[in-house]
């Protein structure tokens, strides 16, 4: 397998993990107070658990892709591709999801 295809698959893993991040983001928005500057201990623990779940999901997804596509040993460009995939997702689709979550939260909070 060529390094270019490995790079694209790695970036895809990063982008797919963003979908799981948005699921956890929605959960955090529902169960934690919205202004992040006033988080209680319960909110901080919930956020930490969500972060652990996110990184465990990302690691499991990447290991699955490594086995499925028979990647060689982990190289620095693979990790950079995963980070790039995450960054691209966060700068594009996550902003759309975050916008709608905030609007929904504001509608619920007004009631």
């Amino acid at each position: 397998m060529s390094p270019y295809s490995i790079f694209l698959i790695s970036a895809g893993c990063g982008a797919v993990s963003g979908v799981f991040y948005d699921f956890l983001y929605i959960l955090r928005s529902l169960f934690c107070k919205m202004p992040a500057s006033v988080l209680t201990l319960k909110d901080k623990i919930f956020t930490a658990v969500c972060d652990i779940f996110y990184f465990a999901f990302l690691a499991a997804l990447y290991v699955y892709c490594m086995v499925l596509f028979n990647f060689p040993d982990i190289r620095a460009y693979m990790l950079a591709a995963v980070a790039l995939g995450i960054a691209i997702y966060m700068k594009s689709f996550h902003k759309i999801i975050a916008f709608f979550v905030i609007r929904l939260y504001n509608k619920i909070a007004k009631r």
Side-chain angles (χ1 to χ4, degrees):
M1 182 167 274
S2 74
Y4 300 113
S5 58
I6 291 173
F7 185 86
L8 290 176
I9 292 169
S10 297
C13 284
V16 167
S17 74
V19 175
F20 187 71
Y21 178 83
D22 276 336
F23 171 73
L24 294 173
Y25 175 75
I26 292 169
L27 285 178
R28 281 195 312 263
S29 297
L30 291 174
F31 295 111
C32 296
K33 293 180 180 157
M34 201 56 164
S37 61
V38 290
L39 291 178
T40 64
L41 180 62
K42 176 192 72 86
D43 296 339
K44 290 178 183 179
I45 291 171
F46 189 79
T47 300
V49 168
C50 286
D51 289 344
I52 291 168
F53 279 145
Y54 170 71
F55 285 110
F57 174 80
L58 176 60
L61 176 68
Y62 195 70
V63 168
Y64 175 76
C65 285
M66 285 182 70
V67 170
L68 182 68
F69 295 110
N70 198 19
F71 285 3
D73 295 336
I74 293 181
R75 310 257 194 269
Y77 75 90
M78 295 175 180
L79 299 176
V82 171
L84 179 67
I86 293 169
I88 288 172
Y89 183 86
M90 290 303 198
K91 292 296 181 183
S92 59
F93 292 113
H94 175 69
K95 292 193 181 271
I96 296 167
I97 299 293
F99 172 77
F100 286 115
V101 166
I102 290 171
R103 288 196 63 183
L104 181 66
Y105 177 82
N106 288 337
K107 281 189 176 189
I108 292 171
K110 284 183 181 178
R111 291 183 181 188

